[in-house]
Amino acid sequence: TINRSNTLAPAEATPNQWYEYSFNMPVGSAGTGRYVIFEAVSDYGNNIFVDDVQIQLQPTCLAPTLLTASSITTNSATLGWTAGGSETAWDIQYGISGFPLGSGTILNNVTTNPYTLTGLTSATNYQFYVLSQCSPTDSSTWTGPFDFNTLCGNVNIFPFVESFDGVVYAPICWSN
């Protein structure tokens, strides 16, 4: 018998949208099976598209969630996240938006959350990832990316010329 009281997904979803869900399966008695059922019921029929399903043991070091960037200036941003568990140290990896994970600048064993990242370039699109450090031998997976843009700097060297030659859309820090 399947117990439908352990429904993990939200009751409603918007049609034609992709969603990512992550759930912790409830612990059961030894020797009992676990079932995962995907069911779709709607006014549009019972169509459902499922992709990239992974069922794995819950890690001992949970990944952080809810990444944020605030207090953004021309050369800094305050990065924040929600801890995955009781960890007190994290690694941050950041770079220009679109960088491949593993090729960014890594800050190891950061012990403050939020963390103020400095030395950034103005008018630049950045992204960052965070992972939890639960012990010297146990860390989570990377969470992210989270994107943010540094503010535009003031023009204070004159004469200043911007030709806009060959530009279809206004460059960053300019508007039509």
Side-chain angles (χ1 to χ4, degrees), residues 44-123:
Y44 307 103
N46 60 352
N47 298 6
I48 184 172
F49 300 97
V50 179
D51 192 15
D52 298 332
V53 175
Q54 295 181 15
I55 300 174
Q56 56 193 10
L57 292 175
Q58 181 172 323
T60 55
C61 187
L62 300 177
T65 59
L66 303 173
L67 277 56
T68 62
S70 62
S71 301
I72 299 169
T73 69
T74 57
N75 62 1
S76 68
T78 300
L79 311 180
W81 54 91
T82 299
S86 60
E87 76 276 6
T88 57
W90 301 269
D91 290 355
I92 299 172
Q93 186 171 170
Y94 72 96
I96 304 296
S97 287
F99 76 91
L101 190 58
S103 67
T105 301
I106 298 178
L107 306 172
N108 292 308
N109 296 313
V110 171
T111 58
T112 58
N113 177 15
Y115 177 82
T116 301
L117 185 61
T118 60
L120 303 176
T121 303
S122 67

Coordinates of all heavy atoms in Angstrom, one line a residue, residues 44-123:
Y44 N -5.4 20.6 -18.0 CA -4.8 20.5 -19.3 C -4.5 19.0 -19.7 O -3.8 18.7 -20.6 CB -3.5 21.3 -19.4 CG -3.6 22.7 -19.0 CD1 -3.2 23.2 -17.8 CD2 -4.3 23.6 -19.9 CE1 -3.4 24.5 -17.4 CE2 -4.4 24.9 -19.5 CZ -4.0 25.4 -18.3 OH -4.2 26.7 -17.9
G45 N -4.9 18.1 -18.8 CA -4.5 16.7 -19.0 C -3.5 16.2 -18.0 O -3.2 17.0 -17.1
N46 N -3.1 15.0 -18.1 CA -2.1 14.5 -17.1 C -0.7 14.4 -17.6 O 0.0 13.5 -17.3 CB -2.6 13.1 -16.5 CG -2.7 12.1 -17.6 OD1 -2.6 12.4 -18.8 ND2 -2.9 10.9 -17.2
N47 N -0.3 15.4 -18.4 CA 1.0 15.4 -18.9 C 2.0 15.9 -17.8 O 1.7 16.8 -17.0 CB 1.2 16.4 -20.1 CG 0.3 16.0 -21.2 OD1 -0.5 15.0 -21.1 ND2 0.4 16.7 -22.3
I48 N 3.2 15.3 -17.8 CA 4.2 15.7 -16.9 C 5.5 15.4 -17.6 O 5.7 14.3 -18.2 CB 4.1 15.0 -15.5 CG1 5.2 15.5 -14.6 CG2 4.2 13.5 -15.6 CD1 5.0 15.1 -13.1
F49 N 6.5 16.2 -17.4 CA 7.8 16.0 -18.0 C 8.8 16.1 -16.8 O 8.8 17.0 -16.1 CB 8.2 17.1 -19.0 CG 7.2 17.2 -20.2 CD1 6.1 18.0 -20.2 CD2 7.4 16.3 -21.2 CE1 5.2 18.1 -21.3 CE2 6.5 16.3 -22.3 CZ 5.4 17.2 -22.3
V50 N 9.6 15.0 -16.7 CA 10.5 14.9 -15.6 C 11.9 14.6 -16.2 O 12.0 13.8 -17.1 CB 10.1 13.7 -14.7 CG1 11.1 13.6 -13.5 CG2 8.7 13.9 -14.1
D51 N 12.9 15.3 -15.7 CA 14.2 15.3 -16.2 C 15.2 15.3 -15.1 O 15.0 15.9 -14.1 CB 14.4 16.5 -17.1 CG 15.7 16.3 -18.0 OD1 16.2 15.2 -18.1 OD2 16.1 17.3 -18.6
D52 N 16.3 14.5 -15.2 CA 17.4 14.5 -14.3 C 17.0 14.2 -12.9 O 17.3 15.0 -11.9 CB 18.2 15.9 -14.3 CG 18.8 16.2 -15.7 OD1 19.1 15.2 -16.4 OD2 18.9 17.4 -16.0
V53 N 16.4 13.1 -12.7 CA 16.0 12.7 -11.3 C 17.2 12.0 -10.7 O 17.8 11.1 -11.3 CB 14.8 11.7 -11.4 CG1 14.5 11.1 -10.0 CG2 13.6 12.4 -12.0
Q54 N 17.5 12.4 -9.5 CA 18.6 11.7 -8.7 C 18.0 11.3 -7.3 O 17.4 12.1 -6.7 CB 19.7 12.7 -8.5 CG 20.5 13.1 -9.7 CD 21.6 14.0 -9.4 OE1 22.1 14.1 -8.3 NE2 22.1 14.6 -10.5
I55 N 18.3 10.1 -6.9 CA 17.9 9.7 -5.6 C 19.2 9.2 -5.0 O 19.9 8.3 -5.5 CB 16.9 8.5 -5.6 CG1 15.6 9.1 -6.3 CG2 16.6 8.0 -4.2 CD1 14.5 8.0 -6.5
Q56 N 19.6 9.8 -3.9 CA 20.9 9.5 -3.2 C 20.8 9.6 -1.7 O 19.8 10.3 -1.2 CB 22.0 10.4 -3.8 CG 21.7 11.9 -3.7 CD 22.6 12.7 -4.5 OE1 23.3 12.3 -5.3 NE2 22.5 14.0 -4.3
L57 N 21.7 9.1 -1.0 CA 21.8 9.2 0.4 C 22.0 10.7 0.8 O 22.7 11.4 0.1 CB 22.9 8.4 1.0 CG 22.7 6.9 0.9 CD1 24.0 6.2 1.4 CD2 21.5 6.4 1.7
Q58 N 21.3 11.1 1.8 CA 21.5 12.5 2.3 C 22.9 12.7 2.7 O 23.4 11.9 3.5 CB 20.5 12.8 3.4 CG 20.6 14.3 3.9 CD 19.6 14.6 4.9 OE1 18.4 14.2 4.7 NE2 19.9 15.4 5.8
P59 N 23.6 13.7 2.2 CA 25.0 14.0 2.6 C 25.1 14.3 4.1 O 24.1 14.8 4.7 CB 25.4 15.1 1.8 CG 24.2 15.8 1.4 CD 23.1 14.8 1.3
T60 N 26.2 14.1 4.7 CA 26.4 14.4 6.1 C 26.6 15.9 6.3 O 26.5 16.4 7.4 CB 27.6 13.6 6.7 OG1 28.8 13.9 5.9 CG2 27.3 12.1 6.7
C61 N 27.1 16.6 5.2 CA 27.3 18.0 5.2 C 26.3 18.6 4.2 O 26.5 18.5 3.0 CB 28.7 18.3 4.9 SG 29.2 20.1 5.1
L62 N 25.3 19.3 4.7 CA 24.3 19.9 3.8 C 24.8 21.2 3.2 O 25.4 22.0 3.9 CB 23.0 20.1 4.6 CG 22.4 18.9 5.2 CD1 21.2 19.2 6.0 CD2 22.1 17.9 4.2
A63 N 24.4 21.4 2.0 CA 24.8 22.6 1.2 C 24.0 23.8 1.7 O 22.9 23.7 2.1 CB 24.5 22.4 -0.3
P64 N 24.6 25.0 1.6 CA 23.9 26.2 2.0 C 22.8 26.5 0.9 O 22.9 26.0 -0.2 CB 25.0 27.3 2.0 CG 26.1 26.7 1.2 CD 26.0 25.2 1.2
T65 N 21.9 27.4 1.3 CA 20.8 27.7 0.4 C 20.6 29.2 0.4 O 21.3 29.9 1.2 CB 19.5 27.0 0.8 OG1 19.2 27.5 2.2 CG2 19.6 25.5 0.8
L66 N 19.7 29.7 -0.4 CA 19.3 31.1 -0.4 C 20.4 32.1 -0.5 O 20.6 33.0 0.4 CB 18.4 31.4 0.8 CG 17.1 30.5 0.9 CD1 16.4 30.8 2.2 CD2 16.2 30.7 -0.3
L67 N 21.2 32.0 -1.5 CA 22.3 32.9 -1.7 C 21.8 34.3 -2.1 O 20.8 34.4 -2.7 CB 23.2 32.4 -2.9 CG 24.3 31.4 -2.6 CD1 23.7 30.1 -1.9 CD2 25.1 31.0 -3.8
T68 N 22.5 35.3 -1.6 CA 22.1 36.7 -1.8 C 23.4 37.6 -2.0 O 24.5 37.2 -1.6 CB 21.3 37.3 -0.6 OG1 22.2 37.3 0.5 CG2 20.1 36.5 -0.3
A69 N 23.2 38.7 -2.6 CA 24.2 39.8 -2.7 C 23.5 41.1 -2.4 O 22.5 41.4 -3.0 CB 24.8 39.8 -4.1
S70 N 24.1 41.9 -1.5 CA 23.5 43.1 -1.1 C 24.6 44.2 -0.9 O 25.8 43.8 -1.0 CB 22.7 42.9 0.2 OG 23.5 42.5 1.2
S71 N 24.2 45.4 -0.6 CA 25.2 46.5 -0.3 C 26.2 46.5 -1.4 O 27.4 46.7 -1.2 CB 25.8 46.3 1.0 OG 24.9 46.3 2.1
I72 N 25.8 46.4 -2.7 CA 26.7 46.4 -3.8 C 27.1 47.8 -4.2 O 26.3 48.7 -4.2 CB 25.9 45.7 -5.0 CG1 25.5 44.3 -4.7 CG2 26.8 45.7 -6.3 CD1 24.6 43.6 -5.7
T73 N 28.5 47.9 -4.4 CA 29.1 49.2 -4.7 C 29.8 49.0 -6.1 O 29.6 48.0 -6.7 CB 30.0 49.7 -3.7 OG1 31.2 48.8 -3.7 CG2 29.4 49.7 -2.3
T74 N 30.6 49.9 -6.4 CA 31.4 49.8 -7.6 C 32.5 48.7 -7.5 O 32.9 48.2 -8.5 CB 32.1 51.1 -8.0 OG1 32.9 51.6 -6.9 CG2 31.1 52.2 -8.4
N75 N 33.0 48.4 -6.3 CA 34.1 47.5 -6.1 C 33.9 46.5 -5.0 O 34.8 45.8 -4.6 CB 35.4 48.2 -5.9 CG 35.4 49.1 -4.7 OD1 34.4 49.1 -3.9 ND2 36.5 49.8 -4.4
S76 N 32.6 46.3 -4.5 CA 32.4 45.4 -3.4 C 30.9 44.9 -3.4 O 30.1 45.5 -4.0 CB 32.8 45.9 -2.0 OG 31.9 47.0 -1.7
A77 N 30.7 43.8 -2.7 CA 29.3 43.3 -2.5 C 29.4 42.5 -1.2 O 30.4 41.8 -0.9 CB 28.9 42.5 -3.7
T78 N 28.2 42.5 -0.5 CA 28.1 41.6 0.7 C 27.3 40.4 0.3 O 26.2 40.5 -0.2 CB 27.4 42.4 1.8 OG1 28.1 43.6 2.1 CG2 27.2 41.5 3.0
L79 N 28.0 39.2 0.4 CA 27.4 38.0 0.0 C 26.9 37.3 1.2 O 27.5 37.3 2.3 CB 28.5 37.1 -0.7 CG 29.4 37.7 -1.8 CD1 30.4 36.7 -2.3 CD2 28.5 38.3 -2.9
G80 N 25.7 36.7 1.1 CA 25.1 36.0 2.2 C 24.4 34.7 1.7 O 24.2 34.5 0.5
W81 N 24.1 33.8 2.7 CA 23.5 32.6 2.4 C 22.9 32.0 3.7 O 23.2 32.5 4.8 CB 24.5 31.6 1.8 CG 25.7 31.4 2.7 CD1 25.9 30.5 3.7 CD2 26.9 32.2 2.7 NE1 27.1 30.7 4.3 CE2 27.7 31.7 3.7 CE3 27.3 33.3 1.9 CZ2 29.0 32.3 3.9 CZ3 28.5 33.8 2.1 CH2 29.4 33.3 3.1
T82 N 22.1 31.0 3.6 CA 21.5 30.3 4.8 C 22.3 29.0 5.0 O 22.5 28.2 4.0 CB 20.0 30.0 4.6 OG1 19.3 31.2 4.4 CG2 19.5 29.2 5.8
A83 N 22.9 28.8 6.1 CA 23.7 27.6 6.4 C 22.9 26.4 6.2 O 21.7 26.3 6.5 CB 24.2 27.7 7.9
G84 N 23.5 25.3 5.7 CA 22.9 24.0 5.5 C 22.6 23.3 6.8 O 21.7 22.5 6.9
G85 N 23.4 23.5 7.8 CA 23.3 22.9 9.1 C 24.0 23.7 10.1 O 23.8 24.9 10.2
S86 N 24.8 23.1 10.9 CA 25.5 23.8 12.0 C 26.9 24.2 11.7 O 27.7 24.6 12.6 CB 25.5 22.9 13.3 OG 26.2 21.7 13.0
E87 N 27.3 24.1 10.4 CA 28.7 24.5 10.0 C 29.0 25.9 10.3 O 28.0 26.8 10.3 CB 28.9 24.1 8.5 CG 28.3 25.1 7.6 CD 26.8 24.9 7.2 OE1 26.2 24.0 7.8 OE2 26.3 25.6 6.4
T88 N 30.2 26.2 10.5 CA 30.6 27.6 10.8 C 31.7 28.1 9.8 O 32.3 29.2 10.1 CB 31.1 27.8 12.2 OG1 32.2 26.8 12.4 CG2 30.0 27.5 13.2
A89 N 32.0 27.3 8.8 CA 33.0 27.8 7.8 C 32.5 27.3 6.4 O 31.8 26.3 6.2 CB 34.3 27.1 8.0
W90 N 32.8 28.2 5.4 CA 32.3 28.0 4.0 C 33.5 28.3 3.1 O 34.4 29.1 3.4 CB 31.1 28.9 3.7 CG 30.0 28.6 4.6 CD1 29.0 27.7 4.4 CD2 29.7 29.2 5.9 NE1 28.1 27.8 5.5 CE2 28.5 28.7 6.4 CE3 30.4 30.2 6.6 CZ2 28.0 29.1 7.6 CZ3 29.8 30.6 7.9 CH2 28.6 30.0 8.3
D91 N 33.4 27.8 1.9 CA 34.2 28.2 0.8 C 33.4 29.0 -0.2 O 32.2 28.6 -0.4 CB 34.9 27.0 0.0 CG 35.9 26.3 0.9 OD1 36.2 26.7 2.0 OD2 36.4 25.2 0.4
I92 N 33.9 30.1 -0.7 CA 33.2 30.9 -1.7 C 34.0 30.9 -3.0 O 35.3 31.0 -2.9 CB 33.1 32.4 -1.2 CG1 32.3 32.5 0.1 CG2 32.5 33.2 -2.3 CD1 32.3 33.9 0.7
Q93 N 33.4 30.7 -4.1 CA 34.0 30.7 -5.4 C 33.3 31.8 -6.2 O 32.1 31.7 -6.3 CB 34.0 29.4 -6.1 CG 34.8 29.4 -7.4 CD 34.9 28.0 -8.0 OE1 35.4 27.9 -9.1 NE2 34.6 26.9 -7.3
Y94 N 34.1 32.7 -6.8 CA 33.4 33.8 -7.6 C 34.2 34.1 -8.8 O 35.4 33.8 -8.9 CB 33.2 35.1 -6.7 CG 34.5 35.8 -6.4 CD1 34.9 36.9 -7.2 CD2 35.3 35.4 -5.3 CE1 36.1 37.6 -6.9 CE2 36.5 36.1 -5.1 CZ 36.9 37.2 -5.8 OH 38.0 37.9 -5.6
G95 N 33.6 34.8 -9.7 CA 34.2 35.2 -11.0 C 33.3 36.0 -11.9 O 32.1 36.2 -11.5
I96 N 33.7 36.3 -13.0 CA 32.9 37.0 -14.0 C 31.8 36.0 -14.4 O 32.0 34.8 -14.6 CB 33.7 37.4 -15.3 CG1 34.9 38.3 -14.9 CG2 32.8 38.0 -16.4 CD1 34.5 39.6 -14.3
S97 N 30.5 36.5 -14.6 CA 29.4 35.6 -14.9 C 29.7 34.7 -16.0 O 30.3 35.1 -17.1 CB 28.2 36.4 -15.2 OG 27.7 37.0 -14.0
G98 N 29.4 33.4 -15.9 CA 29.6 32.4 -16.9 C 30.9 31.6 -16.7 O 31.1 30.7 -17.5
F99 N 31.7 31.9 -15.7 CA 32.9 31.1 -15.5 C 32.6 29.7 -15.1 O 31.6 29.4 -14.4 CB 33.8 31.8 -14.4 CG 33.3 31.5 -13.0 CD1 33.8 30.5 -12.3 CD2 32.5 32.4 -12.4 CE1 33.4 30.2 -10.9 CE2 32.1 32.2 -11.0 CZ 32.5 31.1 -10.3
P100 N 33.4 28.7 -15.6 CA 33.1 27.3 -15.3 C 33.5 27.1 -13.8 O 34.5 27.5 -13.3 CB 34.1 26.5 -16.2 CG 34.6 27.5 -17.2 CD 34.4 28.9 -16.6
L101 N 32.6 26.4 -13.1 CA 32.9 26.0 -11.7 C 34.2 25.3 -11.6 O 34.5 24.4 -12.4 CB 31.7 25.1 -11.1 CG 31.7 24.9 -9.7 CD1 31.7 26.2 -8.9 CD2 30.6 24.0 -9.3
G102 N 35.0 25.8 -10.7 CA 36.4 25.2 -10.6 C 37.5 26.2 -11.1 O 38.6 26.0 -10.8
S103 N 37.0 27.1 -11.9 CA 38.0 28.1 -12.5 C 37.9 29.5 -11.9 O 38.6 30.4 -12.3 CB 37.8 28.2 -14.0 OG 36.6 28.8 -14.3
G104 N 37.0 29.7 -10.9 CA 36.9 31.0 -10.3 C 37.9 31.2 -9.1 O 38.7 30.3 -8.8
T105 N 37.8 32.4 -8.5 CA 38.6 32.7 -7.4 C 38.0 32.0 -6.2 O 36.8 32.2 -5.9 CB 38.8 34.2 -7.2 OG1 39.3 34.8 -8.4 CG2 39.6 34.5 -6.0
I106 N 38.7 31.2 -5.4 CA 38.2 30.5 -4.3 C 38.7 31.1 -3.0 O 39.9 31.3 -2.8 CB 38.5 29.0 -4.3 CG1 37.9 28.4 -5.6 CG2 38.0 28.3 -3.1 CD1 38.2 26.9 -5.8
L107 N 37.8 31.4 -2.1 CA 38.1 31.9 -0.7 C 37.8 30.7 0.2 O 36.6 30.3 0.3 CB 37.3 33.1 -0.4 CG 37.4 34.3 -1.3 CD1 36.4 35.4 -1.0 CD2 38.8 34.8 -1.3
N108 N 38.8 30.1 0.8 CA 38.6 29.0 1.7 C 38.4 29.3 3.1 O 38.9 30.3 3.6 CB 39.9 28.0 1.6 CG 40.0 27.4 0.3 OD1 39.1 26.8 -0.2 ND2 41.2 27.5 -0.3
N109 N 37.6 28.5 3.8 CA 37.3 28.6 5.2 C 36.9 30.0 5.7 O 37.4 30.6 6.7 CB 38.5 28.1 6.0 CG 38.8 26.7 5.8 OD1 37.9 25.9 5.8 ND2 40.0 26.3 5.5
V110 N 35.9 30.6 5.0 CA 35.3 31.9 5.4 C 34.5 31.6 6.6 O 33.7 30.7 6.6 CB 34.5 32.4 4.2 CG1 33.7 33.6 4.7 CG2 35.4 32.8 3.0
T111 N 34.6 32.4 7.6 CA 33.9 32.1 8.9 C 32.9 33.2 9.2 O 32.3 33.2 10.3 CB 34.9 32.0 10.1 OG1 35.7 33.2 10.2 CG2 35.8 30.8 9.9
T112 N 32.6 34.1 8.3 CA 31.6 35.2 8.5 C 30.5 35.0 7.4 O 30.8 34.9 6.3 CB 32.2 36.6 8.5 OG1 32.9 36.8 7.2 CG2 33.2 36.8 9.6
N113 N 29.3 35.1 7.9 CA 28.2 35.1 7.0 C 27.2 36.1 7.5 O 26.7 36.0 8.6 CB 27.5 33.7 7.0 CG 26.3 33.7 6.1 OD1 26.0 34.5 5.3 ND2 25.5 32.6 6.3
P114 N 27.0 37.3 6.8 CA 27.5 37.5 5.4 C 29.0 37.9 5.3 O 29.6 38.2 6.4 CB 26.6 38.7 5.0 CG 26.2 39.4 6.3 CD 26.2 38.3 7.3
Y115 N 29.5 37.8 4.1 CA 30.9 38.1 3.8 C 31.0 39.2 2.8 O 30.3 39.2 1.8 CB 31.6 36.8 3.3 CG 33.0 37.0 2.9 CD1 34.0 37.0 3.9 CD2 33.4 37.3 1.6 CE1 35.3 37.2 3.6 CE2 34.7 37.5 1.3 CZ 35.7 37.5 2.3 OH 37.0 37.7 2.0
T116 N 31.8 40.2 3.1 CA 32.0 41.3 2.2 C 33.2 41.0 1.3 O 34.3 40.9 1.7 CB 32.2 42.7 2.9 OG1 31.1 42.9 3.8 CG2 32.4 43.8 2.0
L117 N 32.8 40.9 0.0 CA 33.8 40.7 -1.1 C 34.3 42.0 -1.6 O 33.4 42.8 -2.0 CB 33.1 39.8 -2.2 CG 34.0 39.3 -3.3 CD1 35.1 38.4 -2.8 CD2 33.1 38.6 -4.3
T118 N 35.6 42.2 -1.7 CA 36.1 43.5 -2.1 C 37.1 43.3 -3.3 O 37.4 42.2 -3.7 CB 36.9 44.2 -1.0 OG1 38.0 43.4 -0.6 CG2 36.0 44.5 0.2
G119 N 37.5 44.4 -3.9 CA 38.5 44.3 -5.0 C 37.8 44.0 -6.3 O 38.5 43.5 -7.3
L120 N 36.5 44.2 -6.4 CA 35.8 43.9 -7.7 C 35.9 45.1 -8.7 O 36.3 46.2 -8.3 CB 34.3 43.7 -7.4 CG 34.0 42.5 -6.4 CD1 32.5 42.4 -6.1 CD2 34.5 41.2 -6.9
T121 N 35.6 44.8 -9.9 CA 35.7 45.8 -11.0 C 34.3 46.4 -11.2 O 33.3 45.7 -11.2 CB 36.2 45.2 -12.3 OG1 37.4 44.6 -12.1 CG2 36.3 46.2 -13.4
S122 N 34.2 47.7 -11.3 CA 32.9 48.4 -11.5 C 32.3 48.0 -12.8 O 33.0 47.5 -13.8 CB 33.1 49.9 -11.5 OG 33.8 50.4 -12.6
A123 N 30.9 48.1 -12.9 CA 30.2 47.8 -14.1 C 30.4 46.4 -14.6 O 30.6 46.2 -15.8 CB 30.4 48.9 -15.1

